[in-house]
Amino acid sequence: MAPKPPLSELPIKTADVGFYRGFSVNVTVISKIIISVLVVWAIVWPEWAGEVLGAWNAVILNNFASWYIWTVTFFVIVCLGLALWPTAGRMNLGQPGEKPEFSNFSWFSMMFGAGIGVGMLTWAVAEPVAHFKNNPSVIQGVTTALEADNVRTAYVWSYLHWGLGAWACYAVAGLALAFFSYRRGLPLTIRSALTPLFGKALSGTLGHIIDIVAVVATILGVAQTLGFGVEQFVAGLTRIGIGGLALEDGSATTLGIIVALLVIMGASTLSALSGVGKGIKWLSNINMVLSIALLSFFILFGATWFGATAFFVGIWDYLVALPGLSFNVYKSDGVEGSEAFLLAQWQGWWPVFYWAWWIAFAPFVGLFLARISRGRTIREFVLGAMIVPSLMCFVWFAWAGGTAVDLELNGNAGGLILDAANGDKIFAMTEFMLSPISQVLAWGMAAMIVVLLMTFLVTSADSAVLIVNTINAAGDEGPKARPHILFWGAALGLVVAGLLISGGTGAIQTAMVIGALPFSIVMVLMCFALIKAIYNDGRREAAGVPTTHGEIQAAAATPAE
């Protein structure tokens, strides 16, 4: 008996008239209520919010560390398996013969800018320096903090956090959404990716819950990025001579937070109103050009040879260590200060935090990747969305971070970079490098980094606003009502402000780790749904049964999963 054609229709009820016309009222209103309650709670009762979030964070880190680590490992295995699987690799994320909408340069620019680009300006310098000072090998006495024997280990951990695991989270979400939306003709929303498992039941309450979880995770994941970005943006403004926005320790004042968010969210909301094809594409191309210019400075005038060694040797060390690190979970013995306690604590601060961050970021980046990747094959998508961005991250960490590590290792910086706040490290390093030559050059470099940081932040924020509205509008990619764009732009800014006020970036980190947990379950289900769908499509193709929305319509078949 020949298999039936796949499900190619998933009706989602949206309002026909009124303020919510075109939107799923259930998803939109409940999402707004959840985020609004979080904002009010964090701003009106900051101490209470900080205490509760901290307690929840401890519970999750104690009980779900292994879940986060093994789940991301599963995503890497699934993505690489799909790329190697002949049946899957050749499938087009669109209709037969459809070509990509964007050139490779624009595709990579938007993918990198919206995905992790903003993180490079903070963590490409800060993270290798942090791991150079402390990591599990230092805790276990295998290597020595701030000494040459710890450099390679520092890069293994840096590459682990920003390499294949990070981009596998995005690739899973993006691939599932593109497959079911552009091949099957289903709505471009999270619930569509689970149709092989739950079918038309996703039109109702179950689908609403999945999309609400995705919206909340998106807001919290992007809030984490913006929280770090705001701190760094304020540090940059201080470096170029705008005072009163930061305290002596480098942290942003309340005034600094407000000014930074007004600038960033104002620009991002205006960009979001212009859509992906205009504002976001234009900003992505600008920040890619500025990124190349800044990176070229580090390669040419920074630790050129040290960076090259960190890049090539670091990748080798990372790939050798990857199988072991992908499954390793440190268990605390409950004795504060013991080696087991410190290892588990470090893992919570770094790998678990990062995996939660990437998972929370996945509905946003995944849906965005799907939107810009229509017409590409699954193999092209997986390799392009995992390997190329990972290599770009490694380049940044090798030369930008390598310059910082080299300056500290050789004693030239004398702790200047090491002691600076994470967001301020790149400014401290470039000023140290350029100020002996020219104060004007040092100021100009700081100003360029501020502009680059702003374009990255605006790209991330306006993309998030558009993605949230797409989910709320049952996958409609068309123009959204301006009031809803303005609401989510303001809501995102208030979430960041509220959590920063209630507990700094630590509060945002905690809220994000909590929000990522339910969506991680959704992503695991996405993997099984995608594998099932591809396997069944292979059987359908062999039997001559249509597999894409266009073919199903042409054959006038009755849709069924």
Side-chain angles (χ1 to χ4, degrees):
M1 181 177 176
K4 296 180 179 179
L7 181 71
S8 61
E9 292 183 5
L10 185 66
I12 302 173
K13 185 179 179 181
T14 57
D16 297 324
V17 295
F19 183 72
Y20 288 101
R21 183 169 62 88
F23 286 82
S24 168
V25 176
N26 292 309
V27 175
T28 307
V29 172
I30 295 175
S31 298
K32 286 182 176 180
I33 290 173
I34 292 172
I35 295 301
S36 298
V37 168
L38 177 61
V39 169
V40 172
W41 182 44
I43 293 177
V44 177
W45 297 283
E47 293 184 3
W48 178 33
E51 291 174 2
V52 172
L53 289 174
W56 287 356
N57 187 54
V59 171
I60 288 177
L61 292 182
N62 288 335
N63 296 283
F64 292 96
S66 56
W67 166 260
Y68 276 119
I69 290 171
W70 295 339
T71 295
V72 171
T73 300
F74 174 63
F75 294 157
V76 174
I77 293 171
V78 168
C79 287
L80 295 179
L82 290 176
L84 295 173
W85 185 9
T87 301
R90 59 179 171 75
M91 286 186 178
N92 190 311
L93 297 175
Q95 300 304 300
E98 190 171 352
K99 300 299 181 184
E101 177 183 356
F102 299 103
S103 67
N104 285 338
F105 181 81
S106 290
W107 187 47
F108 289 133
S109 297
M110 288 188 283
M111 183 164 50
F112 187 74
I116 297 183
V118 65
M120 291 297 95
L121 295 180
T122 300
W123 297 108
V125 175
E127 185 157 346
V129 171
H131 297 329
F132 181 49
K133 184 178 181 180
N134 188 39
N135 63 61
S137 294
V138 173
I139 295 172
Q140 294 170 315
V142 178
T143 59
T144 309
L146 304 177
E147 296 294 340
D149 68 335
N150 194 38
V151 172
R152 290 176 66 171
T153 306
Y155 271 94
V156 168
W157 287 106
S158 298
Y159 287 178
L160 176 73
H161 298 152
W162 295 80
L164 298 179
W167 289 95
C169 295
Y170 302 157
V172 163
L175 187 56
L177 289 166
F179 184 93
F180 291 104
S181 296
Y182 300 136
R183 279 184 66 85
R184 298 285 173 82
L186 300 175
L188 184 62
T189 187
I190 306 300
R191 70 178 80 187
S192 296
L194 301 183
T195 49
L197 301 180
F198 302 108
K200 290 188 176 181
L202 292 166
S203 290
T205 302
L206 178 61
H208 298 333
I209 293 172
I210 289 168
D211 283 347
I212 290 167
V213 166
V215 169
V216 173
T218 298
I219 293 296
L220 294 177
V222 176
Q224 178 71 66
T225 298
L226 292 179
F228 285 134
V230 163
E231 293 277 0
Q232 188 169 33
F233 190 67
V234 169
L237 293 177
T238 302
R239 288 280 179 176
I240 62 177
I242 302 176
L245 303 180
L247 300 174
E248 290 185 4
D249 63 358
S251 61
T253 63
T254 301
L255 175 62
I257 293 170
I258 293 171
V259 169
L261 285 172
L262 284 175
V263 172
I264 294 164
M265 297 312 303
S268 66
T269 302
L270 291 175
S271 179
L273 290 170
S274 69
V276 174
K278 295 179 181 178
I280 297 175
K281 178 181 176 181
W282 183 72
L283 283 171
S284 295
N285 287 338
I286 286 178
N287 60 35
M288 180 59 77
V289 171
L290 291 177
S291 296
I292 292 172
L294 180 61
L295 183 59
S296 298
F297 168 77
F298 290 126
I299 293 175
L300 295 174
F301 303 105
T304 305
W305 175 249
F306 186 98
T309 304
F311 181 72
F312 291 106
V313 175
I315 290 176
W316 170 258
D317 290 341
Y318 161 64
L319 293 176
V320 170
L322 183 60
L325 296 180
S326 296
F327 295 95
N328 181 57
V329 178
Y330 295 114
K331 294 292 185 180
S332 174
D333 57 7
V335 180
E336 189 169 349
S338 69
E339 181 178 296
F341 177 87
L342 293 174
L343 287 171
Q345 184 182 57
W346 189 93
Q347 186 168 272
W349 285 343
W350 290 98
V352 173
F353 156 65
Y354 270 124
W355 295 163
W357 190 5
W358 304 151
I359 289 170
F361 223 46
F364 152 53
V365 182
L367 206 151
F368 187 71
L369 284 182
R371 169 65 183 84
I372 64 175
S373 302
R374 181 169 184 161
R376 298 183 183 274
T377 65
I378 289 179
R379 182 173 294 112
E380 182 182 11
F381 177 91
V382 169
L383 297 180
M386 282 184 64
I387 295 177
V388 174
S390 294
L391 289 175
M392 280 299 300
C393 289
F394 296 164
V395 168
W396 272 92
F397 276 79
W399 275 279
T403 299
V405 171
D406 187 49
L407 289 172
E408 290 291 357
L409 182 62
N410 294 323
N412 295 329
L416 184 68
I417 303 169
L418 193 66
D419 296 337
N422 286 332
D424 196 35
K425 279 182 167 59
I426 191 170
F427 294 105
M429 181 175 68
T430 53
E431 182 173 336
F432 175 79
M433 295 170 66
L434 292 173
S435 57
I437 302 172
S438 169
Q439 288 291 343
V440 175
L441 280 177
W443 184 92
M445 179 60 74
M448 188 185 86
I449 295 173
V450 168
V451 172
L452 176 58
L453 177 64
M454 181 176 172
T455 60
F456 271 134
L457 290 171
V458 170
T459 301
S460 295
D462 63 10
S463 299
V465 170
L466 287 174
I467 293 313
V468 165
N469 271 308
T470 297
I471 297 172
N472 287 334
D476 179 16
E477 298 178 71
K480 308 297 186 296
R482 288 175 180 267
H484 297 286
I485 291 178
L486 295 174
F487 172 86
W488 285 112
L492 185 54
L494 288 172
V495 167
V496 175
L499 291 174
L500 282 176
I501 292 169
S502 68
T505 53
I508 301 180
Q509 175 179 332
T510 300
M512 180 271 301
V513 170
I514 295 168
L517 187 59
F519 191 71
S520 67
I521 299 171
V522 174
M523 287 186 63
V524 170
L525 294 175
M526 278 183 175
C527 291
F528 288 113
L530 188 60
I531 293 169
K532 179 181 178 181
I534 292 172
Y535 172 74
N536 286 337
D537 274 7
R539 293 176 57 237
R540 291 183 182 109
E541 289 178 352
V545 176
T547 61
T548 65
H549 179 64
E551 292 172 335
I552 293 170
Q553 284 189 321
T558 301
E561 183 66 29

